Amino acid sequence: MTDAQIEIQLIASLVAVACAIPGTFLVLRKMAMISDAISHSILPGLVVGFFLTQDLNSPWLILFAAITGVLTVVLVEKIQQTKLVKEDTAIGLVFPALFSIGVIMIAQYANDVHLDVDAVLLGELAFAPFDRVYYGDMDLGPKSLWVIGSILVLTLILLFAFFKELKMSTFDAGLATSLGFSPIVIHYGLMSVASVTTVGAFDAVGAILVVALMIAPAASAYLLTTNLKKMIGLACFFGVFSAISGYWMANILDASIAGSIATMLGLVFLMVYLFAPSKGFFAVLYREKQQRREVSLITFLLHLKNHIEIEERHVNHLNEHINWQKVRSKTILSLAQKNNMISISNDVVSLTEKGEEFTSKAIEYILTNEDSLIEDMKEDFFLFRG
Amino acid sequence: MKGKIAVKVDDLTVAYNYKPVLWDIDLQIPEGVLMAIVGPNGAGKSTLIKAILGIIKPIAGSVSIFGKAYTSHRKHVAYVPQKGSVDWDFPTTALDVVMMGTYGSLGWIRRPSTKEKKSALEALEKVGMLSFKNRQISQLSGGQQQRIFLARALVQDASIYFMDEPFQGVDATTEVAIINILKELRKAGKTVIVVHHDLQTVPEYFDWVTFLNVKKIATGPVKEIFNDDNLTKTYGINYKVSIQK
């Protein structure tokens, strides 16, 4: 690997972590689309900042852009508070307006400057190593690395200092207020961090990838864990993994780095969505099948308990009596037999002692619907896994 | 009236978009009562609690807790919101939610230590949920979630407890468990204020009651004021209850 390659991967990874942290809270607050809005509407802030400083490298640009980001959030909330439109509509109204103002300003006044719409949307990681910081003659590395590195350090400090406040006000803002914390301060703090991160990151990776890096890793992590700290950790991991693997994919395909990273983020989410152990597509499918079988089994056992007549319990007529297809009756029959719940003699099915006991418990549960009973049943029998 | 006034509300008016939800409420809640706030849907019961706690800003009026502004008495007040007010899919455990009750005394930035954890575990035990401490909160039943909220309030070790419909959607066992804890709190000299829906249980559970329907209709001991007259004034229809007192 060349130095430039290492630097690009390092920048992409730092951006990924810096985005995943606020992204996790945005996802939990059901505000994912706000990141999209911020990433677009900071454009006029950048342009205004450039007019005032006449310097594309001025740190004031980041400040102006971040202020526009927070302004976007305020505008969305103000429109939403009128109760005339919902939040998603308010977002859809605000950011295209601000973004288009930025586009017009660039076209009118800044055509000769390196500040074009393509760069804003897509960024170009490949060029990041060329824009370097020097101290005297000493090369201190790419500028993006310093920018995003400082933002990441700031984000981490804030996260460690205010983790408990962030968690509480995200979960229960009412409690936070009543305990004397100000959820509004925390809300705008988070929005400011999201804005600053977006501004710092999009110079290197572009607005679209910023959104992808904020939302996709957090959304994937959300499907895998029930612990907030682990969720943040996993989101960071997914972000970094996609950043590095995306970089190499772009290298092999000779494609856009930002595009490849976003593609990897999408793939990671798809994999997690399909294979997550408890919330994933296949896990849910399996569980539903399992539950269907369990309910069928109970139905079948109840039928046996309710009927002493031999004709109701004959193996070959069971499907007619319970009105099931032959295959299903067979599966359930063998399931019950395997678990020693029934015995078959002369093709007539009877409940065993274990079957009797299980059925009585099931009836009791159905009648009372009490949690403790189902807990007992889970322990005593093979049923109700998961 | 018994001893001190725990909560005093003066001329409180709250409006959403210029539509008054609470109109000129004057209310004095004596210390040590177990009080129900009753009234029809939209009467402003939850709003009253939220306004007292500063979660909603009133357009007029004032609230004092033990004679002082609420902000200087925060630590003496615990709040149990409606169960539906939070996202139970949030990635956290029962114990962690209860720990949040200790955040108020910790203040900004300071992290909970083993001391806070210990009191959270004790509160979980009190509500009979200790064995569920590591359970993800979405995997608890409605009644269990309500108990977790109650434990979170208990851990604050407050003098005044506000509860917004703690009996909503819980089974009979949980209801009994919760009311027993509330009665214990009263026995310990705490003041408990509950938004309540089930009029049948008011005389059995509470010793103090406030009738509310945008305006305050009546407030006082259940024995004296829980009658057909006040019920009719509050609910608007000719209310003939056959409630045994």
Side-chain angles (χ1 to χ4, degrees):
Chain A
M1 274 193 277
T2 64
D3 283 356
Q5 283 181 320
I6 292 171
E7 280 169 6
I8 290 172
Q9 290 176 67
L10 196 58
I11 292 168
S13 301
L14 290 187
V15 170
V17 176
C19 287
I21 293 168
T24 301
F25 289 99
L26 291 180
V27 166
L28 288 175
R29 286 165 175 248
K30 302 177 178 64
M31 297 182 68
M33 286 313 288
I34 275 285
S35 68
D36 196 13
I38 292 174
S39 69
H40 284 78
S41 56
I42 53 177
L43 185 62
L46 279 177
V47 180
V48 171
F50 174 69
F51 286 161
L52 294 177
T53 58
Q54 292 295 325
D55 175 12
L56 266 181
N57 292 317
S58 165
W60 291 103
L61 251 63
I62 291 188
L63 189 73
F64 274 105
I67 290 171
T68 340
V70 177
L71 181 74
T72 313
V73 178
V74 176
L75 282 175
V76 167
E77 278 163 6
K78 287 286 166 215
I79 293 179
Q80 199 188 338
Q81 273 162 20
T82 63
K83 298 215 169 132
L84 297 172
V85 296
K86 299 260 182 275
E87 188 186 11
D88 53 343
T89 313
I91 292 174
L93 286 168
V94 171
F95 87 81
L98 288 171
F99 184 65
S100 52
I101 291 171
V103 171
I104 292 172
M105 287 201 292
I106 291 182
Q108 285 291 93
Y109 310 108
N111 244 343
D112 49 341
V113 197
H114 166 67
L115 190 69
D116 57 72
V117 178
D118 274 5
V120 169
L121 283 180
L122 300 172
E124 197 36 273
L125 259 173
F127 297 149
F130 298 123
D131 189 4
R132 305 189 80 83
V133 182
Y134 292 95
Y135 180 77
D137 280 343
M138 199 165 56
D139 179 8
L140 295 177
K143 191 187 124 205
S144 304
L145 197 59
W146 283 96
V147 173
I148 200 65
S150 336
I151 291 171
L152 177 57
V153 169
L154 181 76
T155 307
L156 285 173
I157 291 172
L158 291 172
L159 176 71
F160 282 111
F162 298 110
F163 181 73
K164 137 177 149 278
E165 288 79 4
L166 264 167
K167 180 171 70 179
M168 176 171 52
S169 64
T170 303
F171 174 63
D172 190 345
L175 177 80
T177 313
S178 76
L179 290 182
F181 298 92
S182 170
I184 294 173
V185 169
I186 291 164
H187 172 74
Y188 283 109
L190 177 65
M191 290 307 135
S192 307
V193 168
S195 299
V196 171
T197 308
T198 306
V199 187
F202 97 132
D203 187 32
V205 300
I208 306 286
L209 186 53
V210 170
V211 179
L213 281 170
M214 281 203 180
I215 305 310
S220 310
Y222 181 69
L223 297 182
L224 285 173
T225 179
T226 53
N227 176 315
L228 180 57
K229 283 178 189 164
K230 279 187 195 151
M231 183 175 165
I232 296 173
L234 272 173
C236 292
F237 168 76
F238 286 140
V240 172
F241 172 80
S242 308
I244 293 173
S245 58
Y247 171 76
W248 288 105
M249 182 171 124
N251 218 347
I252 293 162
L253 300 176
D254 195 17
S256 148
I257 300 175
S260 304
I261 293 177
T263 307
M264 281 315 296
L265 287 166
L267 283 176
V268 165
F269 179 77
L270 181 67
M271 286 297 127
V272 171
Y273 165 71
L274 289 177
F275 300 110
S278 74
K279 292 183 192 163
F281 177 77
F282 288 116
V284 170
L285 210 64
Y286 176 76
R287 201 161 49 232
E288 277 173 1
K289 195 182 155 211
Q290 201 80 358
Q291 279 166 353
R292 233 181 353 254
R293 281 176 62 193
E294 284 163 359
V295 169
S296 302
L297 178 68
I298 293 180
T299 316
F300 169 65
L301 294 175
L302 283 177
H303 176 81
L304 290 181
K305 200 176 166 73
N306 286 339
H307 294 280
I308 321 158
E309 313 91 290
I310 293 208
E311 61 270 27
E312 287 273 352
R313 297 191 283 131
H314 198 277
V315 171
N316 294 328
H317 303 302
L318 273 174
N319 52 321
E320 290 160 35
H321 287 291
I322 324 187
N323 202 9
W324 283 345
Q325 287 171 341
K326 273 216 167 99
V327 189
R328 188 161 158 211
S329 319
K330 269 233 172 74
T331 340
I332 299 303
L333 198 66
S334 61
L335 180 68
Q337 208 173 5
K338 230 182 354 203
N339 285 286
N340 296 323
M341 299 227 179
I342 53 168
S343 60
I344 304 173
S345 62
N346 299 328
D347 281 353
V348 172
V349 190
S350 330
L351 285 173
T352 60
E353 215 170 281
K354 187 183 169 195
E356 285 276 355
E357 192 198 341
F358 178 80
T359 317
S360 321
K361 274 207 173 174
I363 294 173
E364 210 180 319
Y365 170 66
I366 292 164
L367 290 178
T368 58
N369 204 18
E370 263 190 39
D371 289 339
S372 56
L373 283 172
I374 194 103
E375 298 286 334
D376 285 352
M377 283 177 80
K378 271 189 209 170
E379 274 171 30
D380 291 355
F381 301 97
F382 70 104
L383 288 164
F384 302 108
R385 276 166 291 217
Chain B
M1 275 202 190
K2 320 175 188 180
K4 276 194 284 183
I5 298 297
V7 182
K8 190 161 179 288
V9 176
D10 287 310
D11 309 318
L12 187 79
T13 298
V14 178
Y16 291 132
N17 295 328
Y18 306 106
K19 184 181 172 288
V21 232
L22 286 177
W23 195 272
D24 198 29
I25 305 286
D26 286 305
L27 186 62
Q28 298 192 351
I29 306 170
E31 188 181 16
V33 296
L34 178 48
M35 184 181 94
I37 302 176
V38 297
N41 289 330
K45 305 184 294 289
S46 301
T47 308
L48 177 60
I49 286 190
K50 286 181 187 161
I52 292 174
L53 294 171
I55 298 172
I56 291 175
K57 261 196 126 144
I59 56 170
S62 64
V63 174
S64 64
I65 307 273
F66 292 122
K68 282 190 187 150
Y70 170 63
T71 40
S72 60
H73 266 304
R74 262 185 224 289
K75 279 176 192 158
H76 302 287
V77 177
Y79 168 51
V80 180
Q82 276 185 30
K83 201 156 51 66
S85 66
V86 304
D87 173 14
W88 289 95
D89 282 326
F90 192 84
T92 190
T93 59
L95 176 62
D96 205 34
V97 171
V98 178
M99 295 269 276
M100 287 181 192
T102 66
Y103 289 4
S105 57
L106 285 169
W108 289 86
I109 298 179
R110 265 180 62 203
R111 299 284 183 93
S113 64
T114 42
K115 180 177 149 246
E116 279 75 26
K117 191 172 172 187
K118 202 173 142 254
S119 48
L121 288 172
E122 280 167 15
L124 272 171
E125 176 142 46
K126 252 183 231 163
V127 300
M129 289 290 295
L130 193 58
S131 52
F132 294 90
K133 65 178 198 281
N134 293 323
R135 201 58 92 76
Q136 207 268 324
I137 51 173
S138 66
Q139 284 162 11
L140 299 170
S141 71
Q144 291 170 334
Q145 291 174 342
Q146 193 64 59
R147 288 194 217 188
I148 292 298
F149 262 9
L150 182 61
R152 190 177 72 177
L154 291 179
V155 93
Q156 292 182 40
D157 195 23
S159 325
I160 307 176
Y161 290 81
F162 289 94
M163 307 198 178
D164 204 344
E165 302 203 20
F167 303 117
Q168 200 182 40
V170 307
D171 56 42
T173 336
T174 304
E175 180 156 339
V176 172
I178 293 176
I179 196 65
N180 284 338
I181 290 168
L182 300 193
K183 284 180 174 167
E184 259 174 52
L185 286 173
R186 179 185 49 191
K187 220 179 271 170
K190 318 277 188 183
T191 311
V192 184
I193 295 142
V194 179
V195 170
H196 195 56
H197 250 303
D198 183 8
L199 293 171
Q200 302 292 329
T201 52
V202 169
E204 185 192 336
Y205 290 174
F206 300 95
D207 57 5
W208 209 264
V209 64
T210 293
F211 290 94
L212 190 74
N213 191 355
V214 185
K215 298 184 82 166
K216 183 191 78 183
I217 312 292
T219 185
V222 170
K223 282 196 184 104
E224 289 167 25
I225 67 155
F226 194 71
N227 52 38
D228 289 355
D229 185 33
N230 278 327
L231 284 165
T232 307
K233 275 188 202 156
T234 310
Y235 287 86
I237 43 171
N238 194 7
Y239 217 105
K240 287 282 173 225
V241 276
S242 51
I243 293 169
Q244 298 91 23
K245 291 191 188 160

